[in-house]
Amino acid sequence: DAGVIQSPRHEVTEMGQEVTLRCKPISGHDYLFWYRQTMMRGLELLIYFNNNVPIDDSGMPEDRFSAKMPNASFSTLKIQPSEPRDSAVYFCASSEDRGNEQFFGPGTRLTVL
Amino acid sequence: AQSVTQPDIHITVSEGASLELRCNYSYGATPYLFWYVQSPGQGLQLLLKYFSGDTLVQGIKGFEAEFKRSQSSFNLRKPSVHWSDAAEYFCAVGAVKTSYDKVIFGPGTSLSVIP
């Protein structure tokens, strides 16, 4: 298995633009997680899905952030409009169970100018 | 719900020296416990995990961790550190006993290795 795949690996955009991050989980994993990592706040859980259904989005910072999982092999995290404070590394992870080990993707480094 | 703390923000050790990274958790029952490592510019990689059974767990890259229920701890150890071990280390606690349970990550400990 190729592991969790994220794209793009790097994204540089200007304030106000829409940003879409993509994730392909490991096949057979029922849970998918989106995290944000910054120096100031560490690793934060934004949202997670079970069988394509959003279960807990309490970590989503504000309405500018949205996430979807249209099928078992694809998820997106969208920021619209983006702001400089959204600059961070965004990780996607998947697992067989919400309390079990998670497999992380390589992350997307987002820079909002 | 569970919680996890890593008391040391940053640790520096000499190459060849032993290492112990601390992790304490809070949970009403025996949780699932994990240690992850993150090298610069990389995602998190699982080093080892504890679910049940033997409280001393062996992982990859020569790491081990010991679950101590009485101290609510799951400290990570390595007898001899290599320069390539310099990275960020995260302890995590997981559980699935209630609908609120999930994996919670600690704040991380940054490890520097002096040649």
Side-chain angles (χ1 to χ4, degrees):
Chain A
D1 199 322
V4 176
I5 299 173
Q6 290 187 249
S7 65
R9 292 293 309 275
H10 301 274
E11 177 80 32
V12 180
T13 190
E14 294 187 346
M15 183 174 61
Q17 296 298 306
E18 177 179 295
V19 175
T20 299
L21 312 181
R22 298 172 176 79
C23 174
K24 176 180 170 55
I26 293 173
S27 177
H29 283 188
D30 292 334
Y31 287 83
L32 183 140
F33 306 81
W34 281 102
Y35 292 89
R36 178 172 68 176
Q37 186 178 40
T38 61
M39 289 292 292
M40 290 296 294
R41 301 174 68 90
L43 192 65
E44 303 174 274
L45 176 64
L46 300 177
I47 185 171
Y48 78 91
F49 295 82
N50 177 29
N51 292 323
N52 315 334
V53 176
I55 302 300
D56 182 355
D57 64 355
S58 59
M60 296 286 262
E62 45 196 281
D63 293 344
R64 297 184 297 105
F65 286 69
S66 62
K68 295 182 179 180
M69 192 165 186
N71 57 63
S73 59
F74 183 66
S75 177
T76 60
L77 178 68
K78 186 176 294 186
I79 308 173
Q80 167 63 20
S82 59
E83 297 182 3
R85 59 194 168 117
D86 301 331
S87 296
V89 180
Y90 291 81
F91 288 103
C92 175
S94 69
S95 73
E96 295 178 343
D97 190 296
R98 61 182 158 86
N100 209 328
E101 65 180 286
Q102 296 179 15
F103 295 81
F104 281 76
T108 295
R109 181 173 295 277
L110 173 65
T111 303
V112 183
L113 302 175
Chain B
Q2 67 272 42
S3 65
V4 58
T5 57
Q6 294 179 247
D8 304 305
I9 296 174
H10 185 258
I11 285 181
T12 300
V13 299
S14 297
E15 191 169 16
S18 63
L19 171 70
E20 182 169 27
L21 302 182
R22 295 183 291 165
C23 172
N24 294 99
Y25 71 89
S26 174
Y27 187 63
T30 301
Y32 302 157
L33 296 162
F34 311 90
W35 274 100
Y36 288 81
V37 61
Q38 183 182 27
S39 298
Q42 304 294 317
L44 278 69
Q45 179 187 19
L46 183 71
L47 281 175
L48 48 78
K49 61 184 179 184
Y50 172 81
F51 286 175
S52 64
D54 193 346
T55 56
L56 185 62
V57 181
Q58 301 298 320
I60 62 172
K61 305 184 180 187
F63 285 93
E64 66 177 26
E66 186 172 12
F67 169 57
K68 292 186 177 180
R69 185 190 305 275
S70 61
Q71 298 178 20
S72 296
S73 69
F74 189 57
N75 294 348
L76 182 71
R77 300 194 294 250
K78 187 170 184 178
S80 178
V81 171
H82 188 262
W83 63 266
S84 61
D85 294 324
E88 188 87 13
Y89 290 81
F90 294 91
C91 181
V93 180
V96 290
K97 291 191 179 300
T98 75
S99 61
Y100 299 101
D101 290 333
K102 55 193 175 190
V103 176
I104 303 296
F105 285 84
T109 296
S110 177
L111 174 66
S112 296
V113 180
I114 301 174

Short mmCIF file of all heavy atoms in Angstrom, two decimals, chain A residues 6-13 19-22 34-46 59 61 64-65 77 79 82-92 106-113, chain B residues 38 41-42 44:
data_model
loop_
_atom_site.label_atom_id
_atom_site.label_comp_id
_atom_site.label_asym_id
_atom_site.label_seq_id
_atom_site.Cartn_x
_atom_site.Cartn_y
_atom_site.Cartn_z
N GLN A 6 -1.19 12.79 0.20
CA GLN A 6 -1.70 14.16 0.28
C GLN A 6 -1.17 14.98 -0.89
O GLN A 6 -0.03 14.81 -1.32
CB GLN A 6 -1.26 14.82 1.59
CG GLN A 6 -1.94 14.26 2.82
CD GLN A 6 -1.60 15.07 4.06
OE1 GLN A 6 -0.90 14.59 4.95
NE2 GLN A 6 -2.12 16.28 4.14
N SER A 7 -2.02 15.89 -1.34
CA SER A 7 -1.58 16.82 -2.38
C SER A 7 -2.28 18.16 -2.20
O SER A 7 -3.39 18.20 -1.65
CB SER A 7 -1.90 16.25 -3.77
OG SER A 7 -3.30 16.14 -3.96
N PRO A 8 -1.63 19.23 -2.57
CA PRO A 8 -0.22 19.29 -2.95
C PRO A 8 0.68 19.17 -1.73
O PRO A 8 0.21 19.19 -0.60
CB PRO A 8 -0.11 20.69 -3.58
CG PRO A 8 -1.10 21.50 -2.79
CD PRO A 8 -2.26 20.57 -2.53
N ARG A 9 1.97 19.05 -1.91
CA ARG A 9 2.89 19.01 -0.78
C ARG A 9 3.18 20.41 -0.27
O ARG A 9 3.44 20.62 0.92
CB ARG A 9 4.19 18.32 -1.19
CG ARG A 9 4.06 16.83 -1.48
CD ARG A 9 3.69 16.04 -0.21
NE ARG A 9 4.58 16.35 0.91
CZ ARG A 9 5.75 15.76 1.11
NH1 ARG A 9 6.18 14.84 0.27
NH2 ARG A 9 6.49 16.10 2.15
N HIS A 10 3.17 21.35 -1.17
CA HIS A 10 3.39 22.75 -0.81
C HIS A 10 2.38 23.61 -1.56
O HIS A 10 2.07 23.34 -2.72
CB HIS A 10 4.81 23.20 -1.19
CG HIS A 10 5.89 22.41 -0.53
ND1 HIS A 10 6.38 22.69 0.71
CD2 HIS A 10 6.56 21.31 -0.95
CE1 HIS A 10 7.32 21.81 1.03
NE2 HIS A 10 7.44 20.97 0.04
N GLU A 11 1.87 24.62 -0.87
CA GLU A 11 0.92 25.53 -1.48
C GLU A 11 1.22 26.93 -0.99
O GLU A 11 1.27 27.16 0.24
CB GLU A 11 -0.51 25.13 -1.11
CG GLU A 11 -1.59 26.06 -1.63
CD GLU A 11 -1.93 25.80 -3.08
OE1 GLU A 11 -1.84 24.63 -3.52
OE2 GLU A 11 -2.29 26.76 -3.78
N VAL A 12 1.43 27.83 -1.93
CA VAL A 12 1.61 29.24 -1.59
C VAL A 12 0.50 30.01 -2.27
O VAL A 12 0.31 29.88 -3.48
CB VAL A 12 2.98 29.77 -2.04
CG1 VAL A 12 3.12 31.24 -1.66
CG2 VAL A 12 4.11 28.95 -1.42
N THR A 13 -0.23 30.79 -1.50
CA THR A 13 -1.35 31.53 -2.05
C THR A 13 -1.43 32.90 -1.41
O THR A 13 -0.74 33.18 -0.43
CB THR A 13 -2.66 30.76 -1.84
OG1 THR A 13 -3.71 31.38 -2.59
CG2 THR A 13 -3.04 30.74 -0.36
N VAL A 19 -8.32 27.77 -0.99
CA VAL A 19 -7.30 26.71 -0.97
C VAL A 19 -7.99 25.38 -0.76
O VAL A 19 -8.87 25.25 0.11
CB VAL A 19 -6.30 26.95 0.19
CG1 VAL A 19 -5.33 25.80 0.29
CG2 VAL A 19 -5.57 28.28 0.00
N THR A 20 -7.60 24.38 -1.52
CA THR A 20 -8.15 23.04 -1.36
C THR A 20 -7.01 22.04 -1.19
O THR A 20 -6.14 21.94 -2.05
CB THR A 20 -9.00 22.63 -2.58
OG1 THR A 20 -10.10 23.54 -2.71
CG2 THR A 20 -9.55 21.22 -2.38
N LEU A 21 -7.06 21.34 -0.08
CA LEU A 21 -6.08 20.30 0.22
C LEU A 21 -6.75 18.95 0.03
O LEU A 21 -7.92 18.77 0.38
CB LEU A 21 -5.56 20.45 1.66
CG LEU A 21 -5.12 21.86 2.07
CD1 LEU A 21 -4.62 21.84 3.51
CD2 LEU A 21 -4.09 22.42 1.13
N ARG A 22 -5.98 17.99 -0.47
CA ARG A 22 -6.55 16.69 -0.81
C ARG A 22 -5.87 15.55 -0.08
O ARG A 22 -4.67 15.62 0.24
CB ARG A 22 -6.45 16.48 -2.32
CG ARG A 22 -7.24 17.50 -3.12
CD ARG A 22 -6.99 17.40 -4.62
NE ARG A 22 -7.82 18.33 -5.37
CZ ARG A 22 -7.58 19.63 -5.50
NH1 ARG A 22 -6.50 20.17 -4.95
NH2 ARG A 22 -8.41 20.39 -6.20
N TRP A 34 -8.15 15.04 9.87
CA TRP A 34 -7.40 16.20 9.40
C TRP A 34 -6.81 16.93 10.61
O TRP A 34 -7.53 17.25 11.56
CB TRP A 34 -8.29 17.17 8.63
CG TRP A 34 -8.58 16.77 7.21
CD1 TRP A 34 -9.72 16.18 6.72
CD2 TRP A 34 -7.72 16.93 6.08
NE1 TRP A 34 -9.61 15.98 5.38
CE2 TRP A 34 -8.40 16.44 4.95
CE3 TRP A 34 -6.44 17.47 5.91
CZ2 TRP A 34 -7.84 16.45 3.67
CZ3 TRP A 34 -5.89 17.48 4.63
CH2 TRP A 34 -6.59 16.98 3.53
N TYR A 35 -5.50 17.20 10.54
CA TYR A 35 -4.80 17.91 11.60
C TYR A 35 -4.12 19.16 11.03
O TYR A 35 -3.79 19.23 9.86
CB TYR A 35 -3.69 17.04 12.22
CG TYR A 35 -4.15 15.87 13.01
CD1 TYR A 35 -4.38 14.63 12.42
CD2 TYR A 35 -4.32 15.97 14.40
CE1 TYR A 35 -4.78 13.53 13.16
CE2 TYR A 35 -4.73 14.87 15.16
CZ TYR A 35 -4.94 13.67 14.52
OH TYR A 35 -5.34 12.58 15.28
N ARG A 36 -3.88 20.11 11.92
CA ARG A 36 -3.09 21.28 11.58
C ARG A 36 -1.96 21.38 12.59
O ARG A 36 -2.17 21.20 13.80
CB ARG A 36 -3.95 22.55 11.64
CG ARG A 36 -3.19 23.83 11.35
CD ARG A 36 -4.15 25.01 11.24
NE ARG A 36 -4.77 25.36 12.50
CZ ARG A 36 -5.57 26.41 12.65
NH1 ARG A 36 -5.86 27.20 11.61
NH2 ARG A 36 -6.11 26.67 13.83
N GLN A 37 -0.77 21.66 12.10
CA GLN A 37 0.39 21.76 12.98
C GLN A 37 1.08 23.12 12.80
O GLN A 37 1.45 23.50 11.69
CB GLN A 37 1.40 20.65 12.70
CG GLN A 37 2.56 20.62 13.69
CD GLN A 37 3.52 19.48 13.43
OE1 GLN A 37 3.85 19.16 12.30
NE2 GLN A 37 3.97 18.82 14.50
N THR A 38 1.22 23.83 13.91
CA THR A 38 1.95 25.09 13.93
C THR A 38 2.90 25.10 15.11
O THR A 38 2.75 24.31 16.06
CB THR A 38 1.01 26.30 14.05
OG1 THR A 38 0.29 26.19 15.30
CG2 THR A 38 0.01 26.36 12.91
N MET A 39 3.86 25.98 15.07
CA MET A 39 4.81 26.09 16.18
C MET A 39 4.08 26.52 17.44
O MET A 39 4.37 26.03 18.54
CB MET A 39 5.91 27.08 15.83
CG MET A 39 6.88 26.59 14.77
SD MET A 39 7.90 25.24 15.36
CE MET A 39 8.89 26.09 16.58
N MET A 40 3.14 27.43 17.28
CA MET A 40 2.50 28.00 18.46
C MET A 40 1.50 27.04 19.10
O MET A 40 1.41 26.96 20.33
CB MET A 40 1.77 29.30 18.07
CG MET A 40 2.70 30.44 17.71
SD MET A 40 3.70 30.94 19.12
CE MET A 40 2.43 31.58 20.20
N ARG A 41 0.76 26.31 18.29
CA ARG A 41 -0.36 25.52 18.82
C ARG A 41 -0.13 24.01 18.74
O ARG A 41 -0.97 23.23 19.20
CB ARG A 41 -1.63 25.89 18.07
CG ARG A 41 -2.00 27.37 18.20
CD ARG A 41 -3.21 27.70 17.32
NE ARG A 41 -4.41 27.07 17.83
CZ ARG A 41 -5.22 27.64 18.72
NH1 ARG A 41 -4.96 28.84 19.19
NH2 ARG A 41 -6.31 27.00 19.13
N GLY A 42 1.00 23.61 18.16
CA GLY A 42 1.28 22.18 18.07
C GLY A 42 0.35 21.49 17.09
O GLY A 42 -0.09 22.07 16.10
N LEU A 43 0.04 20.22 17.37
CA LEU A 43 -0.79 19.40 16.49
C LEU A 43 -2.24 19.48 16.95
O LEU A 43 -2.57 19.09 18.07
CB LEU A 43 -0.29 17.96 16.55
CG LEU A 43 -0.80 16.97 15.51
CD1 LEU A 43 -0.32 17.38 14.13
CD2 LEU A 43 -0.32 15.57 15.85
N GLU A 44 -3.11 19.99 16.09
CA GLU A 44 -4.51 20.16 16.43
C GLU A 44 -5.39 19.29 15.53
O GLU A 44 -5.23 19.32 14.31
CB GLU A 44 -4.96 21.61 16.20
CG GLU A 44 -4.19 22.67 16.95
CD GLU A 44 -4.65 24.05 16.49
OE1 GLU A 44 -4.11 24.56 15.48
OE2 GLU A 44 -5.55 24.63 17.14
N LEU A 45 -6.32 18.58 16.12
CA LEU A 45 -7.28 17.82 15.34
C LEU A 45 -8.38 18.77 14.86
O LEU A 45 -9.02 19.44 15.67
CB LEU A 45 -7.89 16.70 16.18
CG LEU A 45 -9.00 15.89 15.51
CD1 LEU A 45 -8.46 15.12 14.30
CD2 LEU A 45 -9.64 14.93 16.50
N LEU A 46 -8.58 18.84 13.57
CA LEU A 46 -9.59 19.72 13.01
C LEU A 46 -10.94 19.02 12.88
O LEU A 46 -11.98 19.53 13.31
CB LEU A 46 -9.15 20.24 11.64
CG LEU A 46 -7.84 21.03 11.60
CD1 LEU A 46 -7.51 21.40 10.16
CD2 LEU A 46 -7.93 22.26 12.47
N GLY A 59 -12.96 20.94 16.14
CA GLY A 59 -11.65 21.56 16.00
C GLY A 59 -11.52 22.50 14.82
O GLY A 59 -10.51 23.20 14.68
N PRO A 61 -11.51 25.68 13.00
CA PRO A 61 -11.36 26.99 13.65
C PRO A 61 -12.50 27.96 13.36
O PRO A 61 -12.89 28.72 14.23
CB PRO A 61 -10.02 27.50 13.12
CG PRO A 61 -9.71 26.68 11.92
CD PRO A 61 -10.40 25.38 12.08
N ARG A 64 -14.71 29.50 7.74
CA ARG A 64 -13.92 29.55 6.51
C ARG A 64 -13.38 28.16 6.15
O ARG A 64 -12.97 27.93 5.02
CB ARG A 64 -12.76 30.53 6.66
CG ARG A 64 -13.18 31.97 6.90
CD ARG A 64 -11.98 32.90 6.95
NE ARG A 64 -11.07 32.61 8.05
CZ ARG A 64 -9.89 32.01 7.91
NH1 ARG A 64 -9.47 31.65 6.71
NH2 ARG A 64 -9.13 31.77 8.97
N PHE A 65 -13.36 27.28 7.12
CA PHE A 65 -12.84 25.93 6.92
C PHE A 65 -14.01 24.97 6.68
O PHE A 65 -15.00 25.00 7.41
CB PHE A 65 -12.05 25.46 8.14
CG PHE A 65 -10.71 26.09 8.30
CD1 PHE A 65 -10.58 27.43 8.64
CD2 PHE A 65 -9.56 25.34 8.12
CE1 PHE A 65 -9.33 28.02 8.79
CE2 PHE A 65 -8.30 25.90 8.28
CZ PHE A 65 -8.19 27.24 8.61
N LEU A 77 -10.02 19.30 2.29
CA LEU A 77 -10.11 20.34 3.31
C LEU A 77 -9.99 21.66 2.55
O LEU A 77 -9.01 21.89 1.86
CB LEU A 77 -9.00 20.21 4.34
CG LEU A 77 -8.97 21.28 5.43
CD1 LEU A 77 -10.18 21.18 6.35
CD2 LEU A 77 -7.68 21.17 6.27
N ILE A 79 -10.30 25.94 2.50
CA ILE A 79 -10.26 27.20 3.24
C ILE A 79 -10.65 28.30 2.27
O ILE A 79 -10.02 28.50 1.24
CB ILE A 79 -8.85 27.48 3.81
CG1 ILE A 79 -8.33 26.28 4.60
CG2 ILE A 79 -8.89 28.73 4.70
CD1 ILE A 79 -6.87 26.43 5.04
N SER A 82 -8.79 32.34 2.42
CA SER A 82 -7.63 32.05 3.24
C SER A 82 -7.07 33.34 3.86
O SER A 82 -7.23 34.44 3.31
CB SER A 82 -6.55 31.36 2.41
OG SER A 82 -6.17 32.17 1.32
N GLU A 83 -6.41 33.19 5.00
CA GLU A 83 -5.79 34.30 5.72
C GLU A 83 -4.37 33.90 6.11
O GLU A 83 -4.09 32.71 6.25
CB GLU A 83 -6.60 34.66 6.96
CG GLU A 83 -8.00 35.15 6.66
CD GLU A 83 -8.76 35.56 7.91
OE1 GLU A 83 -8.18 35.50 9.01
OE2 GLU A 83 -9.95 35.94 7.78
N PRO A 84 -3.49 34.89 6.32
CA PRO A 84 -2.10 34.55 6.69
C PRO A 84 -2.01 33.66 7.92
O PRO A 84 -1.11 32.81 8.01
CB PRO A 84 -1.48 35.93 6.94
CG PRO A 84 -2.24 36.85 6.01
CD PRO A 84 -3.65 36.32 6.03
N ARG A 85 -2.91 33.81 8.87
CA ARG A 85 -2.85 32.98 10.09
C ARG A 85 -3.20 31.52 9.82
O ARG A 85 -3.08 30.68 10.73
CB ARG A 85 -3.77 33.54 11.17
CG ARG A 85 -5.24 33.63 10.79
CD ARG A 85 -5.97 34.50 11.81
NE ARG A 85 -7.31 34.85 11.36
CZ ARG A 85 -8.41 34.46 12.00
NH1 ARG A 85 -8.33 33.75 13.09
NH2 ARG A 85 -9.60 34.83 11.56
N ASP A 86 -3.65 31.21 8.62
CA ASP A 86 -3.90 29.81 8.26
C ASP A 86 -2.63 29.09 7.83
O ASP A 86 -2.65 27.87 7.61
CB ASP A 86 -4.92 29.74 7.11
CG ASP A 86 -6.25 30.40 7.46
OD1 ASP A 86 -6.61 30.40 8.66
OD2 ASP A 86 -6.91 30.91 6.54
N SER A 87 -1.56 29.82 7.71
CA SER A 87 -0.28 29.21 7.32
C SER A 87 0.12 28.16 8.35
O SER A 87 0.20 28.43 9.55
CB SER A 87 0.80 30.28 7.20
OG SER A 87 0.50 31.20 6.18
N ALA A 88 0.35 26.94 7.88
CA ALA A 88 0.63 25.81 8.76
C ALA A 88 0.92 24.59 7.90
O ALA A 88 0.86 24.66 6.67
CB ALA A 88 -0.57 25.52 9.65
N VAL A 89 1.23 23.49 8.56
CA VAL A 89 1.31 22.20 7.87
C VAL A 89 0.03 21.44 8.21
O VAL A 89 -0.32 21.30 9.38
CB VAL A 89 2.54 21.39 8.29
CG1 VAL A 89 2.57 20.06 7.52
CG2 VAL A 89 3.81 22.17 8.02
N TYR A 90 -0.64 20.98 7.19
CA TYR A 90 -1.89 20.25 7.37
C TYR A 90 -1.65 18.77 7.06
O TYR A 90 -1.15 18.41 6.00
CB TYR A 90 -2.98 20.82 6.45
CG TYR A 90 -3.40 22.20 6.85
CD1 TYR A 90 -2.66 23.32 6.49
CD2 TYR A 90 -4.54 22.39 7.64
CE1 TYR A 90 -3.04 24.60 6.89
CE2 TYR A 90 -4.93 23.66 8.03
CZ TYR A 90 -4.17 24.75 7.66
OH TYR A 90 -4.55 26.02 8.08
N PHE A 91 -2.00 17.94 8.04
CA PHE A 91 -1.81 16.50 7.89
C PHE A 91 -3.16 15.80 7.78
O PHE A 91 -4.13 16.17 8.43
CB PHE A 91 -1.07 15.92 9.10
CG PHE A 91 0.37 16.29 9.17
CD1 PHE A 91 0.81 17.27 10.05
CD2 PHE A 91 1.30 15.65 8.36
CE1 PHE A 91 2.16 17.61 10.12
CE2 PHE A 91 2.64 15.98 8.42
CZ PHE A 91 3.07 16.96 9.30
N CYS A 92 -3.15 14.78 6.98
CA CYS A 92 -4.25 13.84 6.90
C CYS A 92 -3.76 12.52 7.47
O CYS A 92 -2.59 12.14 7.27
CB CYS A 92 -4.69 13.68 5.45
SG CYS A 92 -5.97 12.46 5.17
N PRO A 106 2.31 12.78 4.35
CA PRO A 106 3.50 13.63 4.47
C PRO A 106 3.18 15.08 4.79
O PRO A 106 4.08 15.84 5.14
CB PRO A 106 4.13 13.50 3.09
CG PRO A 106 2.98 13.22 2.19
CD PRO A 106 2.02 12.38 2.98
N GLY A 107 1.91 15.45 4.68
CA GLY A 107 1.51 16.82 5.00
C GLY A 107 1.54 17.76 3.81
O GLY A 107 2.21 17.51 2.80
N THR A 108 0.76 18.83 3.95
CA THR A 108 0.78 19.94 2.98
C THR A 108 1.20 21.18 3.73
O THR A 108 0.57 21.57 4.70
CB THR A 108 -0.61 20.17 2.37
OG1 THR A 108 -1.00 19.04 1.60
CG2 THR A 108 -0.60 21.42 1.48
N ARG A 109 2.29 21.79 3.26
CA ARG A 109 2.75 23.04 3.89
C ARG A 109 2.07 24.19 3.17
O ARG A 109 2.33 24.45 2.00
CB ARG A 109 4.26 23.16 3.80
CG ARG A 109 4.80 24.44 4.45
CD ARG A 109 6.30 24.45 4.52
NE ARG A 109 6.81 23.40 5.39
CZ ARG A 109 6.91 23.50 6.71
NH1 ARG A 109 6.53 24.61 7.31
NH2 ARG A 109 7.41 22.51 7.42
N LEU A 110 1.21 24.89 3.90
CA LEU A 110 0.45 26.01 3.33
C LEU A 110 1.03 27.33 3.80
O LEU A 110 1.22 27.53 5.00
CB LEU A 110 -1.02 25.92 3.74
CG LEU A 110 -1.91 27.11 3.37
CD1 LEU A 110 -2.02 27.22 1.85
CD2 LEU A 110 -3.28 26.99 4.01
N THR A 111 1.29 28.19 2.85
CA THR A 111 1.73 29.55 3.15
C THR A 111 0.76 30.52 2.51
O THR A 111 0.54 30.47 1.30
CB THR A 111 3.15 29.81 2.61
OG1 THR A 111 4.06 28.85 3.17
CG2 THR A 111 3.61 31.22 2.97
N VAL A 112 0.17 31.36 3.34
CA VAL A 112 -0.77 32.38 2.85
C VAL A 112 -0.11 33.74 3.02
O VAL A 112 0.20 34.15 4.14
CB VAL A 112 -2.10 32.33 3.61
CG1 VAL A 112 -3.08 33.35 3.02
CG2 VAL A 112 -2.71 30.93 3.55
N LEU A 113 0.10 34.41 1.91
CA LEU A 113 0.82 35.69 1.93
C LEU A 113 -0.15 36.87 2.11
O LEU A 113 -1.33 36.78 1.77
CB LEU A 113 1.60 35.87 0.63
CG LEU A 113 2.61 34.75 0.34
CD1 LEU A 113 3.23 34.95 -1.03
CD2 LEU A 113 3.68 34.70 1.41
N GLN B 38 8.48 12.42 14.53
CA GLN B 38 8.35 13.27 13.35
C GLN B 38 9.71 13.87 13.02
O GLN B 38 10.20 14.73 13.76
CB GLN B 38 7.33 14.38 13.58
CG GLN B 38 7.10 15.24 12.35
CD GLN B 38 6.11 16.38 12.60
OE1 GLN B 38 5.94 16.85 13.73
NE2 GLN B 38 5.44 16.82 11.56
N GLY B 41 10.19 18.07 8.34
CA GLY B 41 9.57 18.03 7.02
C GLY B 41 8.81 16.76 6.72
O GLY B 41 8.36 16.57 5.57
N GLN B 42 8.63 15.92 7.71
CA GLN B 42 7.95 14.64 7.48
C GLN B 42 6.66 14.55 8.28
O GLN B 42 6.41 15.36 9.19
CB GLN B 42 8.87 13.48 7.89
CG GLN B 42 10.23 13.47 7.20
CD GLN B 42 10.10 13.22 5.71
OE1 GLN B 42 9.34 12.37 5.27
NE2 GLN B 42 10.85 13.99 4.92
N LEU B 44 4.12 12.11 10.81
CA LEU B 44 4.37 11.34 12.02
C LEU B 44 4.44 9.86 11.69
O LEU B 44 3.63 9.34 10.92
CB LEU B 44 3.25 11.58 13.05
CG LEU B 44 3.35 12.84 13.89
CD1 LEU B 44 3.11 14.09 13.07
CD2 LEU B 44 2.38 12.77 15.06
#
